[in-house]
Amino acid sequence: MPISKLWSLALRDLGRNRRRSLLTLLAVALGLALLIVLNGLIAGVFADSLQNSIRLRTGHVQLRAEGYLDDQLSLQAKDLLANPAELAGRAAALGQVKAAAPVIWASAMLGTLDDSSGVQLYGVDPASPIYAPIREAVVAGEFLTADDRSGVLIGKTLADSLGIAVGQKVGLALVNADGSPDEGAFTVRGLFATGIPTYDQSAALMPLSKAQAFTGVGDRASAIVILLNRQEDTDAVAAALRAPGMAVLTWSDLNQLFVQAIQTSMGFYIILDLIVMLIIANTLLMSVFERIREIGILSALGMKRREIRRMFLLEASTLGLAGCLLGLAIGLAGVAYLSVNGIALTDKQASVAGNSFALGTAMYARFAAGTFASLALATLLIVLIGSLYPAWYAARLEPIAALRAE
């Protein structure tokens, strides 16, 4: 039988039970639309969070002493870089590098007479372009200057929680490089609001030279933070800076949770596709049961088993293709909406992800045309795979038994 005739029969059968066909088509469309919207939202959240982390915390590349550990924020000489100015100059001389600057990290307690909170102290070079995002985020007071010996910059969220205003004196306490507790009084020069609650709640900045003196590390630094003109040059820059006795970490090394989270999210897509496949297979199998007598008649009239099998596969292909087109339209509309309007989060909700995720107060979707096309093709393939058993079952029915079926 010509394929056109089989296609005509398949379309007629789909139109005969419009409710079943419509529900199946919607199952495919909504399943694909959900995949596209979630993929776009997750891609947007991960991309934005990663860029926030790079611009506020990690940079594209970091140079550290081999023994330095993130979770300890050690101030011991063996864990610090002994020649940070030289290393920063060497990195800055590379054409791909936008800026390179030493930084000191330390755990500290920041407090007033009435309250206190744990913070991560950053000793920074105020003139470096690396800290331009924080300079631009200052909402009250002013940014730091390199020769400021008593000023500190904190997040507005932290200031609000402790009742701190610009110009107010605060105390900072820490354990210095000698292992002795130390404290000092500082004046809040300004407040910043980066839109990243976890950062605005936990970061306190002071000039590098003052931080080195306050922590007792001398001229040493925790790391050299390097910002590149293009993220794609990361591996080349890292290779150029590798040297014995020093760890060179790229943005992917420093943001492992993002990479792991992206890999984990792929499992969700597989599960949802399997659900769609089961729905399609069940719907087509029910169609076979409802049409056993019809199949028997077609067989008795001379339709071959392979033709019956092809007819059911054509039905599945039609439903799958129509469902994928509708799903693409719905999904892309959803991504377009979320890319503009996003999903608002409170500071508390944005902070749930923890310090490792620089999540802002809004989640925006992002278009990923290649991924969306792959999801559509995978969904269509899943539909076809899900239709194989019903098509095989229909083709193997014996005409006499089928005609006797109620």
Side-chain angles (χ1 to χ4, degrees):
M1 184 180 293
I3 191 71
S4 59
K5 182 64 175 177
L6 289 175
W7 194 282
S8 177
L9 289 173
L11 292 177
R12 185 195 67 185
D13 290 335
L14 290 175
R16 181 179 302 169
N17 194 328
R18 294 180 181 178
R19 182 180 179 183
R20 183 187 65 229
S21 300
L22 180 60
L23 289 176
T24 304
L25 185 146
L26 287 176
V28 176
L30 294 178
L32 177 58
L34 181 60
L35 283 173
I36 289 175
V37 171
L38 287 178
N39 181 277
L41 185 59
I42 291 172
V45 169
F46 283 156
D48 291 343
S49 296
L50 179 59
Q51 290 308 312
N52 289 335
S53 181
I54 288 174
R55 70 189 181 89
L56 293 176
R57 291 185 177 136
T58 68
H60 293 105
V61 180
Q62 284 186 15
L63 308 182
R64 298 180 182 177
E66 281 187 321
Y68 190 88
L69 297 177
D70 272 332
D71 56 348
Q72 295 182 3
L73 299 180
S74 173
L75 294 174
Q76 296 183 25
K78 65 182 181 62
D79 297 324
L80 302 178
L81 296 172
N83 53 341
E86 177 186 339
L87 292 172
R90 177 184 163 200
L94 298 176
Q96 304 97 320
V97 174
K98 181 178 182 180
V103 62
I104 280 287
W105 297 312
S107 294
M109 289 294 296
L110 183 145
T112 64
L113 293 175
D114 302 316
D115 205 353
S116 63
S117 179
V119 297
Q120 179 170 337
L121 179 64
Y122 292 73
V124 304
D125 176 4
S128 174
I130 292 174
Y131 302 102
I134 303 174
R135 185 182 299 108
E136 295 165 1
V138 172
V139 293
E142 58 186 13
F143 195 65
L144 300 168
T145 58
D147 59 353
D148 191 340
R149 306 298 295 173
S150 61
V152 66
L153 193 73
I154 63 174
K156 187 176 184 302
T157 304
L158 176 61
D160 290 344
S161 67
L162 298 179
I164 298 173
V166 172
Q168 183 174 335
K169 292 281 187 179
V170 295
L172 273 173
L174 50 70
V175 177
N176 63 26
D178 296 328
S180 304
D182 198 359
E183 61 181 333
F186 296 86
T187 301
V188 175
R189 302 294 188 203
L191 307 177
F192 58 83
T194 63
I196 312 301
T198 54
Y199 189 82
D200 294 347
Q201 177 65 38
S202 64
L205 284 68
M206 67 172 57
L208 177 64
S209 58
K210 177 58 182 177
Q212 289 173 322
F214 183 43
T215 56
V217 300
D219 293 331
R220 297 177 183 270
S222 302
I224 307 298
V225 177
I226 302 169
L227 194 65
L228 305 182
N229 293 308
R230 296 192 320 137
Q231 188 168 316
E232 294 78 8
D233 294 328
T234 299
D235 291 337
V237 171
L241 293 174
R242 295 194 191 281
M246 184 174 64
V248 180
L249 304 175
T250 66
W251 61 264
S252 58
D253 299 323
L254 297 163
N255 294 280
Q256 279 295 322
L257 281 178
F258 289 106
V259 178
Q260 294 171 5
I262 292 172
Q263 293 172 345
T264 301
S265 68
M266 293 306 297
F268 174 79
Y269 305 139
I270 295 173
I271 292 172
L272 191 55
D273 261 343
L274 289 176
I275 292 173
V276 172
M277 182 181 72
L278 291 175
I279 292 173
I280 296 299
N282 179 69
T283 302
L284 293 176
L285 195 57
M286 291 302 297
S287 173
V288 172
F289 291 147
E290 292 174 4
R291 297 158 54 192
I292 287 179
R293 286 180 61 82
E294 177 188 337
I295 294 169
I297 293 172
L298 292 174
S299 298
L301 291 175
M303 182 177 281
K304 298 177 182 178
R305 290 187 174 185
R306 67 173 179 272
E307 292 172 337
I308 293 175
R309 185 166 54 248
R310 287 175 184 171
M311 184 181 70
F312 274 87
L313 290 175
L314 285 172
E315 288 185 24
S317 300
T318 303
L319 286 173
L321 186 58
C324 286
L325 291 175
L326 180 59
L328 275 171
I330 297 173
L332 291 176
V335 172
Y337 175 82
L338 291 176
S339 67
V340 175
N341 298 284
I343 299 175
L345 299 174
T346 65
D347 286 356
K348 186 174 182 180
Q349 290 171 332
S351 300
V352 169
N355 290 329
S356 297
F357 283 82
L359 191 61
T361 52
M363 298 190 300
Y364 292 94
R366 178 170 295 197
F367 282 94
T371 302
F372 296 163
S374 298
L375 287 172
L377 291 175
T379 300
L380 181 58
L381 182 61
I382 289 292
V383 170
L384 295 177
I385 293 174
S387 68
L388 290 177
Y389 177 72
W392 172 82
Y393 183 87
R396 66 185 288 271
L397 287 173
E398 294 294 336
I400 295 178
L403 289 170
R404 289 176 179 174
E406 294 295 332

